[in-house]
Amino acid sequence: VWIGADTGLWRADGPDRVAPDPAFADRPVGALGRRGSVLAAAGPDGAWRRSGSGAWERVPGRFVQNVRAVHPAADGTLWVGTASGLYLLDGKRPARRLGTPEQLCSSNVHALAELPDGTVAVGSTGGVDLYRKGRRVGVLSANRKIPSRFVRGIAVDGRNRLWLPTPIGVARWDPAEGF
């Protein structure tokens, strides 16, 4: 189990063993994300990716410091959700920021998850935006499929449905049913 905290990144290897990761000594970690064996961490000092070798690699790119969510996508892009927008870091060019109403329901991002087809769901205080190959392909909002626009988390189940916790209830959305 990995734990991100203001005092760094910690790993729990058993019921009585919790140790700091030396690569993050006194470096705040605001969010952790995982896809398979790839782990990502982000905080005010930047973003990192850890793959099968166990070594942490810094992902180049600048973004707002108040990180709330991070996700290492299957295509290699690191998605970083903040209180001031969504940042896409590919390590090759400057970070791409999404934050306008044409790009996101809200720039106040709280959750990220990826479906098996590569669609990334972005949960915010405005609903859920769905992105595939870097393009917005759909929106779930309070008047369309979810009880509240404030989506606090996103989970993908074994049938590839999204589970969306909100302040007034949990919604389930099945991509097979459309928008």
Side-chain angles (χ1 to χ4, degrees), residues 32-120:
L32 295 170
R34 178 183 294 273
R35 182 190 47 77
S37 64
V38 178
L39 182 66
D45 295 336
W48 295 264
R49 184 182 352 244
R50 181 180 189 265
S51 57
S53 70
W56 287 98
E57 166 196 3
R58 186 179 183 101
V59 179
R62 296 177 54 95
F63 52 87
V64 173
Q65 296 179 353
N66 48 359
V67 176
R68 294 197 173 133
V70 63
H71 177 74
D75 68 1
T77 302
L78 193 64
W79 294 64
V80 180
T82 74
S84 300
L86 178 67
Y87 295 80
L88 283 65
L89 289 69
D90 65 9
K92 299 173 190 141
R93 53 188 168 250
R96 177 178 164 207
R97 180 182 180 272
L98 305 175
T100 67
E102 297 79 29
Q103 297 168 319
L104 291 174
C105 296
S106 167
S107 62
N108 194 359
V109 177
H110 283 265
L112 298 164
E114 185 173 6
L115 290 160
D117 70 355
T119 300
V120 176

Side-chain angles (χ1 to χ4, degrees), residues 141-162:
S141 60
N143 59 353
R144 296 180 65 193
K145 306 285 186 188
I146 57 177
S148 167
R149 65 183 189 172
F150 187 172
V151 175
R152 296 181 177 199
I154 302 173
V156 180
D157 70 16
R159 292 172 55 191
N160 301 326
R161 299 173 299 185
L162 296 180

